[in-house]
Amino acid sequence: MTTLSAKETILASIENNIDDYMELVQTMYDNPEIGNEEFETMALLVNYLDQAGFKTTSGYVVPTGFIGEYDTGKAGPTIAVMCEYDALPEVGHGCGHNLIAGIGIATGEAVKAVIDQFGGKLLVVGTPAEENFGGKVSMSEAGVFDDVDVALMVHPGSHNGVGGRSSALNPIKFEFFGTNAHACKPQSGASALDAAVMSYLQINLIRQFVNPHTYIHGVIKDGGEAANVIPAYASLEYYFRAPTMAYAKEITEKAIKAVDGICAANGVTYQTSTYECPYEDTVINYLLADVLTEKYEELGLTDIHPVDEVATGSTDVGAVSYRCPTIQGFIKICGEEVNAHTVEMANATISPDGKNGLIKAAQGLGLTILELLENPEKLVAIKQEFDTTIATLT
């Protein structure tokens, strides 16, 4: 098989099987499952990979995780393609994870058709619960990506792009413990709610004094049950986001110090806990982004956004990016008037634009992987960039 035919094989594999991929996307759209409950979705995707000739393992690391492996038995790189597939409450696949899974499956099947001539190992990794429980965090901590040479995925949205930074996320719960009393004898009690409200106000004031692109947002989760009872329990839940986890933790400590003083002043005790999975910031690999840009251009995509240097959201992809060179590209499936985490975004995944987005994204990833297989020196340079960048961060 010539190099040209390898490229043609990847492109044709995705186009020829697109109806099967869109059937997977539609099935997930019709049967959305939230994080850590994606058992039917896991079975659906694993069954497809089984039929495609991958060696699969269900319940991999986490109950709804999976991995599909294809080992050529010859020396070469280990390439991981990541799938997400958890939905959101109420809006279903409003973040497009059903399409991400379809892109990952399509990329894996296409690359499997050509990888034997180059050698190495191909992994399709099912990473559940991205929205709140961080399947990729659990898998990274378990060492899944330690021996991976490069990990790739594409997220649908309102533009074509090659990824960008994400904010580190530290989710902290504050619980306040006071003493109940009748509201007409408040001197007999200690209000957990007062301490929570004062803490909420003080934490909000910290916002003025943080570095750019740092975000603090929280809610009062518990504040009492009856107006005529001094509350003995109250709680706040906060997200502390920052360009790096180190700075997110620094801001968290400032908030904790403020809460400590407020509780002492109110005769209330408190405790903190991490109520969701913390997410690392995303480490950018510019050489890898350049390759995906080149492949998108080959496929005729236009208005390709470069690496976004300003982080706004958070993702568990960050955990993978600290283990190996990683990219999360973007593919346009709707206009800018469609927001993420909406029913409209979910509908876009099963639209003609969603179908075209799956084709182009999977082909872009497939050709990126092919480039690294054909030109091992590029993969060496990408890994060297990763090592250099990580050395400055740890």
Side-chain angles (χ1 to χ4, degrees), residues 60-61 67 78 80 123 125 138-148:
Y60 185 68
V61 179
I67 190 167
T78 298
L123 309 176
V125 187
S138 298
M139 289 184 169
S140 296
E141 291 176 347
V144 172
F145 298 98
D146 286 358
D147 296 323
V148 168

Side-chain angles (χ1 to χ4, degrees), residues 258-289:
V259 169
D260 187 77
I262 289 167
C263 287
N266 283 272
V268 168
T269 60
Y270 75 97
Q271 67 181 31
T272 63
S273 60
T274 303
Y275 69 98
E276 288 181 0
C277 184
Y279 288 173
E280 295 279 1
D281 52 294
T282 297
V283 179
I284 302 300
N285 191 286
Y286 292 96
L287 291 177
L288 187 53

Side-chain angles (χ1 to χ4, degrees), residues 296-320:
Y296 269 0
E297 290 173 343
E298 283 183 20
L299 295 168
L301 295 180
T302 58
D303 297 323
I304 302 167
H305 289 209
V307 171
D308 189 348
E309 299 291 351
V310 179
T312 51
S314 303
T315 172
D316 63 356
V317 173
V320 182

Side-chain angles (χ1 to χ4, degrees), residues 159-229:
H159 68 272
N160 300 316
V162 293
R165 301 190 181 280
S166 67
S167 297
L169 169 64
N170 197 27
I172 300 296
K173 182 168 187 171
F174 297 87
E175 295 181 277
F176 303 85
F177 305 94
T179 304
N180 283 133
H182 193 289
C184 292
K185 293 188 65 177
Q187 67 273 21
S188 300
S191 175
L193 177 60
D194 283 358
V197 170
M198 292 176 68
S199 295
Y200 182 85
L201 294 172
Q202 184 59 45
I203 292 172
N204 279 352
L205 293 175
I206 295 173
R207 292 179 180 182
Q208 181 181 354
F209 303 99
V210 298
N211 291 341
H213 313 305
T214 300
Y215 307 93
I216 303 172
H217 30 249
V219 294
I220 298 175
K221 290 290 288 185
D222 302 280
E225 300 294 335
N228 65 342
V229 177

Side-chain angles (χ1 to χ4, degrees), residues 15 48 50 58 63 65 85 129 144 162 194 214 229 234 300 311 327 339 344 372 380 383 394:
E15 291 176 355
Y48 191 95
D50 281 335
S58 299
Y85 39 92
V144 172
V162 293
D194 283 358
T214 300
V229 177
I327 192 166
N339 293 316
E344 290 76 18
L372 303 182
V380 170
K383 293 173 68 175
T394 56

Side-chain angles (χ1 to χ4, degrees), residues 85-107:
Y85 39 92
D86 58 316
L88 294 158
E90 298 185 20
V91 299
H93 278 288
C95 204
H97 291 184
N98 55 330
L99 200 67
I100 294 175
I103 292 167
I105 295 292
T107 302

Side-chain angles (χ1 to χ4, degrees), residues 70-77 112 114-122:
Y70 183 75
D71 192 342
T72 66
K74 297 185 288 185
K112 177 180 175 292
V114 302
I115 195 172
D116 277 311
Q117 64 179 293
F118 301 102
K121 182 186 294 186
L122 176 64

